[in-house]
């Protein structure tokens, strides 16, 4: 890019990549699982995200090329494992973008008082969203940076206003409903808060952690950033710290002011239900829309560059890394946008099954990247990709080891059966959509690409 992203633009890109639908849509689900322990759950999720962010930042220090987890895996473990991580990460990135575009679409349709469950309305709105972010990219890096920074500042401002109004409301009305959370019941007298056990708390932690994800994609466009080996290791942890403070304050205010509304909300944007003040409700609703549009803009930057990175490394056809005069990887963008539209369509916009793919892809990255960083510290891996940098045992050894321990612990406690089964009252049946998505996304497609790449390479060597 003729004008690359500087340090503060990288920080804002990271914040924009992380603050999306999670904090606006899902806090009620976390409260249902963790009750009064929710604040601690968000703090632990923030710590986990920070440790992982430091690990990914350390990887970005050693390998400053675009591709994030893909290029780190390639540098650490070679072409095949790198390509497997790259393909699965790319599929998951397309899924994530599709899910975010769907969330924006449904929110827009609700604002326009249209049916958000209408297939054609949702599809056409998603197509318009993709066109919108394409225009932002095509207009060049300066305009992209402006829109990204503006969206990020707007979403932070909305959340800060929510916190300030909540503090004013609590202090002036002398309301404190925090102690009632664990005893909340619905209209029929049924308990709204689950009894705490290790499994429910882990699932609550994963739901809270989902609101912090996105940092792992920031380095996907490292080649389009100024001094990525210096700026990324500082920008990623800083963005997590900023977000953690905002999230904990939002959750604390909500749980003190109106926890039952947060848990029982039927709104797409759960935070809208916390306060009955129409101006604040509209502010949160439109703020959530801006937030989700902003994260679509961030996804339009990250996702195509994973595909482009694999092409730059010679593992996919070169036409994927061709750029326009405005320095946009147009072919990679169009292919990624089409896949991101088609995947949610295939599942009739029912995100429950397809999100499993995205979640498991993150687990793969959180296992592979820490090991790569440890290898880089001991000067092992592809020296043509690894920078000669100053090593640090805290960021390059201790943080990756902690990342591995925490990821393995979550994997052990993860509700695997719940992700691949559907419960209908007293019967439990396999979730064939989720199972099929796993087989196609994690076995068929990546191994087909690896086989194609191997055959293509063998053909070039014979020629």
């Amino acid at each position: 890019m003729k004008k690359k992203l500087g340090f503060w633009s990288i920080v804002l890109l990271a914040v924009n990549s992380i603050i999306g639908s999670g904090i606006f849509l899902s806090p009620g689900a976390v409260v249902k699982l963790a009750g009064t322990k929710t604040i601690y759950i968000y703090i632990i999720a923030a710590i986990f995200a920070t440790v992982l962010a430091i690990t990914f930042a350390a990887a970005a220090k050693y390998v400053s090329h675009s591709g994030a987890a893909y290029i780190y895996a390639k540098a650490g473990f070679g072409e095949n494992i790198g390509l497997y991580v790259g393909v699965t990460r790319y599929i998951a990135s397309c899924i994530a973008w599709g899910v975010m575009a769907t969330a924006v679409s449904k929110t827009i349709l609700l604002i326009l008082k249209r049916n958000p469950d209408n297939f054609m309305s949702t599809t056409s709105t998603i197509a318009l969203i993709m066109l919108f972010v394409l225009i932002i990219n095509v207009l060049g890096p300066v305009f992209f940076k402006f829109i990204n920074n503006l969206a990020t500042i707007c979403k932070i401002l909305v959340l800060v206003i929510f916190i300030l109004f909540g503090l004013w409301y609590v202090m002036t009305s002398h309301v404190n409903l925090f102690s009632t959370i664990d005893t909340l019941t619905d209209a029929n007298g049924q308990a709204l808060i689950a009894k705490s056990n290790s499994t429910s708390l882990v699932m609550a932690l994963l739901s809270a952690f989902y609101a912090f994800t996105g940092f792992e994609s920031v380095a996907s466009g490292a080649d389009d950033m100024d001094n990525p080996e210096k700026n990324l290791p500082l920008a990623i942890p800083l963005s997590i710290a900023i977000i953690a403070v905002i999230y904990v304050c939002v959750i604390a205010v909500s749980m003190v002011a109106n926890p039952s509304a947060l848990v029982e909300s039927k709104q797409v944007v759960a935070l809208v239900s916390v306060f009955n003040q129409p101006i604040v409700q509209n502010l949160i609703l439109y703020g959530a829309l801006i937030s989700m549009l902003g994260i679509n803009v961030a996804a339009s930057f990250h996702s195509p560059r994973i595909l482009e990175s694999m092409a730059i490394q010679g593992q996919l056809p070169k036409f994927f890394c061709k750029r326009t005069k405005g320095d946009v990887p147009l072919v990679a963008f169009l292919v990624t946008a089409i896949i991101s539209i088609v995947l949610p369509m295939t599942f009739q916009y029912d995100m429950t099954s397809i999100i499993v793919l995205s979640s498991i892809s993150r687990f793969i990255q959180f296992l592979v990247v820490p090991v790569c960083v440890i290898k880089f510290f001991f000067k092992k891996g592809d020296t043509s990709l690894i920078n000669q940098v100053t090593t640090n045992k805290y960021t390059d050894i201790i943080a990756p080891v902690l990342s591995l321990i925490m990821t393995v612990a979550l994997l052990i406690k993860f509700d695997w059966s719940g992700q691949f089964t559907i419960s209908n009252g007293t019967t439990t049946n396999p979730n064939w959509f989720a199972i099929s998505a796993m087989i196609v996304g994690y076995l068929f497609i990546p191994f087909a690409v690896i086989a194609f790449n191997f055959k293509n390479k063998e053909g070039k060597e014979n020629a």
Side-chain angles (χ1 to χ4, degrees):
M1 297 174 86
K2 295 175 182 178
K3 191 168 180 63
K4 297 188 177 185
L5 301 181
F7 175 76
W8 288 107
S9 288
I10 297 171
V11 171
L12 291 173
L13 177 64
V15 172
N16 194 21
S17 302
I18 297 167
I19 300 180
S21 59
I23 191 61
F24 288 98
L25 273 61
S26 64
V30 181
V31 176
K32 282 183 180 180
L33 290 166
T36 52
K37 300 181 180 69
T38 297
I39 292 176
Y40 300 112
I41 290 293
Y42 272 92
I43 292 172
I44 294 169
I47 293 170
F48 183 30
T50 301
V51 173
L52 279 165
I54 291 170
T55 302
F56 272 74
K61 173 182 70 175
Y62 284 103
V63 183
S64 55
H65 298 285
S66 293
Y70 157 68
I71 200 68
Y72 308 150
K74 185 176 185 292
F77 290 102
E79 291 193 350
N80 289 337
I81 292 180
L83 192 56
Y84 180 84
V85 171
V87 172
T88 53
R89 177 69 195 107
Y90 176 70
I91 293 170
S93 184
C94 290
I95 291 169
W97 190 5
V99 169
M100 291 182 289
T102 302
V104 174
S105 172
K106 289 180 179 291
T107 304
I108 290 172
L109 290 172
L110 280 172
I111 290 172
L112 296 175
K113 302 189 184 305
R114 302 282 296 277
N115 181 9
D117 297 321
N118 182 277
F119 183 85
M120 290 306 299
S121 297
T122 302
T123 304
S124 57
T125 308
I126 290 174
L128 289 173
I129 292 165
M130 295 298 184
L131 179 61
F132 170 72
V133 294
L134 172 60
I135 292 169
I136 290 173
N137 280 267
V138 168
L139 287 175
V142 174
F143 187 71
F144 172 87
K145 185 164 66 174
F146 170 76
I147 294 295
N148 176 75
N149 293 353
L150 180 64
T152 307
I153 292 168
C154 285
K155 68 174 69 177
I156 291 174
L157 186 60
V158 167
L159 291 173
V160 169
I161 291 172
F162 179 90
I163 294 166
L164 293 176
F165 180 83
L167 290 173
W168 174 83
Y169 172 80
V170 168
M171 288 187 292
T172 57
S173 61
H174 306 290
V175 170
N176 186 348
L177 300 176
F178 186 85
S179 60
T180 67
I181 292 172
D182 287 337
T183 58
L184 289 175
T185 58
D186 62 16
N188 298 319
Q190 298 294 317
L192 290 171
I193 309 300
K195 290 184 178 180
S196 294
N197 55 52
S198 59
T199 300
S200 67
L201 291 177
V202 166
M203 296 309 292
L205 178 59
L206 287 170
S207 296
F209 178 68
Y210 175 75
F212 288 94
T213 56
F215 64 86
E216 70 277 9
S217 298
V218 176
S220 296
D223 288 337
D224 296 320
M225 300 174 182
D226 281 331
N227 299 318
E229 67 278 3
K230 293 181 180 179
N231 287 333
L232 280 168
L234 295 173
I236 296 176
L238 177 60
S239 65
I240 292 285
I242 293 169
I243 292 164
V245 172
I246 293 172
Y247 279 7
V248 170
C249 290
V250 167
I251 296 301
V253 164
S254 302
M255 293 175 69
V256 170
N258 197 351
S260 60
L262 191 66
V263 172
E264 295 187 280
S265 175
K266 303 299 181 184
Q267 298 275 355
V268 174
V269 180
L271 289 185
V272 170
S273 303
V274 175
F275 300 113
N276 290 323
Q277 220 291 335
I279 294 175
V280 175
Q281 288 181 329
N282 285 325
L283 182 68
I284 297 302
L285 179 62
Y286 287 101
L289 179 60
I290 291 171
S291 177
M292 290 184 284
L293 276 171
I295 204 168
N296 273 271
V297 172
S300 74
F301 180 84
H302 303 315
S303 302
R305 283 165 174 79
I306 301 172
L307 192 63
E308 181 192 33
S309 178
M310 290 187 282
I312 290 171
Q313 295 297 319
Q315 294 194 281
L316 287 179
K318 286 292 183 183
F319 60 77
F320 285 121
C321 58
K322 288 184 178 180
R323 292 196 170 200
T324 65
K325 290 181 179 179
D327 223 15
V328 178
L330 186 59
V331 175
F333 182 98
L334 293 174
V335 170
T336 305
I338 291 168
I339 294 172
S340 299
I341 294 172
V342 170
L343 281 173
M345 283 178 62
T346 305
F347 285 81
Q348 299 289 307
Y349 301 111
D350 178 7
M351 296 296 101
T352 303
S353 301
I354 203 166
I355 285 175
V356 175
L357 265 178
S358 182
S359 301
I360 294 174
S361 168
R362 290 191 170 99
F363 281 133
I364 290 174
Q365 293 178 81
F366 298 158
L367 290 171
V368 172
V369 173
V371 177
C372 288
V373 173
I374 295 169
K375 291 188 71 172
F376 300 156
F377 178 85
F378 290 106
K379 302 186 185 307
K380 295 181 179 180
D382 187 344
T383 54
S384 67
L385 293 172
I386 301 171
N387 300 322
Q388 295 298 315
V389 298
T390 303
T391 58
N392 184 308
K393 66 179 181 180
Y394 296 104
T395 61
D396 305 352
I397 294 292
I398 295 175
V401 168
L402 288 174
S403 296
L404 282 171
I405 292 170
M406 290 187 289
T407 301
V408 170
L410 287 177
L411 282 169
I412 291 171
K413 283 293 184 179
F414 187 71
D415 183 14
W416 293 100
S417 62
Q419 303 306 308
F420 295 101
T421 56
I422 299 173
S423 180
N424 296 317
T426 57
T427 62
T428 301
N429 299 309
N431 185 342
W432 292 113
F433 273 125
I435 294 169
S436 300
M438 276 292 297
I439 293 171
V440 172
Y442 285 89
L443 294 175
F444 180 76
I445 293 177
F447 284 110
V449 173
I450 290 171
F452 173 80
N453 185 65
F454 177 79
K455 188 176 180 180
N456 189 47
K457 186 177 178 182
E458 191 177 52
K460 287 181 180 178
E461 289 175 353
N462 292 334

